[in-house]
């Protein structure tokens, strides 16, 4: 069996983390979630108010390490589930380019929900702090992320598995 790179993407609060965890259990695959890495490595040092440049520098470091470990995992024959956010089209294209350059079988998974449902989920996740909680996303952060997110066009979704909740 060939290891597959499963790439999860969608807007904030869509259910990506839940979907990614369930997919990793069912495959089986190793799950890499950027939120988990950021929370463990940098949450204690996070400036108030949050600075975009500070955050992005650390996201880039985490992604580089995730890619390194994910590549080794796939080389050993185990599938990987990447939950990196991938809010912008260029981020998703970069992942596809890396997979193609490394000749990795790739499957995109688009997870989405209405804005109202997503906002409510994020607020609930902040309160409950359950399995998928990594970092609190306050309403201002949610609005900021909404402004950064680029919805996929039909061409980008061709071949993707779509999960709408």
């Amino acid at each position: 069996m060939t290891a597959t790179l499963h790439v999860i993407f969608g807007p904030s609060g869509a259910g990506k983390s839940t979907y990614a965890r369930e997919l990793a259990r069912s495959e089986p695959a190793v799950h890499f979630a950027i939120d988990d890495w950021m929370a463990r490595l940098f949450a204690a040092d996070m400036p108030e108010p949050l600075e975009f440049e500070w955050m992005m520098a650390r996201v880039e470091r985490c992604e580089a390490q995730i890619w390194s470990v994910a590549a080794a995992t796939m080389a050993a024959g185990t599938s990987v589930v990447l939950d990196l956010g991938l809010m912008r089209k260029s981020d998703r294209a970069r992942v596809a380019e890396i997979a193609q350059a490394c000749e990795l079988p790739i499957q995109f998974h688009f997870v989405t929900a209405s804005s109202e449902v997503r906002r409510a989920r994020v607020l609930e996740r902040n309160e409950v702090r359950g399995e998928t909680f990594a970092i609190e996303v306050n309403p201002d952060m949610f609005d900021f992320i909404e402004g950064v997110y680029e919805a996929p066009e039909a061409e980008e979704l061709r071949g993707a598995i779509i999960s709408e909740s």
Side-chain angles (χ1 to χ4, degrees):
M1 181 169 117
T2 303
T4 300
L5 176 65
H6 295 277
V7 180
I8 314 304
F9 74 100
S12 184
K16 295 183 304 291
S17 297
T18 299
Y19 181 94
R21 289 175 196 274
E22 290 172 2
L23 179 62
R25 287 183 195 120
S26 68
E27 269 304 297
V30 177
H31 175 221
F32 293 93
I34 190 71
D35 289 350
D36 294 344
W37 286 59
M38 288 293 294
R40 171 116 4 164
L41 296 173
F42 301 116
D45 305 320
M46 202 173 293
E48 284 288 332
L50 185 60
E51 298 167 9
F52 182 73
E53 292 80 18
W54 183 94
M55 177 78 113
M56 292 314 298
R58 281 142 188 90
V59 165
E60 288 173 13
R61 287 188 223 163
C62 284
E63 282 188 4
Q65 186 61 28
I66 287 170
W67 270 111
S68 175
V69 178
T73 301
M74 290 188 70
T78 301
S79 292
V80 164
V81 175
L82 288 184
D83 182 6
L84 302 179
L86 305 177
M87 295 288 168
R88 297 173 302 191
K89 185 175 183 174
S90 62
D91 298 330
R92 300 185 293 268
R94 180 177 40 85
V95 168
E97 288 170 10
I98 292 169
Q100 183 178 13
C102 297
E103 298 181 354
L104 300 174
I106 188 169
Q107 176 63 64
F108 279 96
H109 300 256
F110 176 56
V111 181
T112 191
S114 72
S115 179
E116 298 79 25
V117 166
R118 293 184 295 102
R119 184 179 294 277
R121 283 181 182 162
V122 167
L123 293 174
E124 181 181 354
R125 185 173 59 208
N126 289 341
E127 295 288 322
V128 175
R129 297 183 182 242
E131 182 182 21
T132 61
F133 178 84
I135 298 172
E136 183 170 332
V137 177
N138 65 38
D140 288 339
M141 287 174 70
F142 181 86
D143 291 339
F144 174 78
I145 295 167
E146 285 289 285
V148 171
Y149 175 69
E150 295 174 359
E153 296 174 8
E155 176 63 30
E156 191 178 0
L157 292 175
R158 185 170 293 123
I161 295 171
I162 300 171
S163 175
E164 188 163 354
S165 57

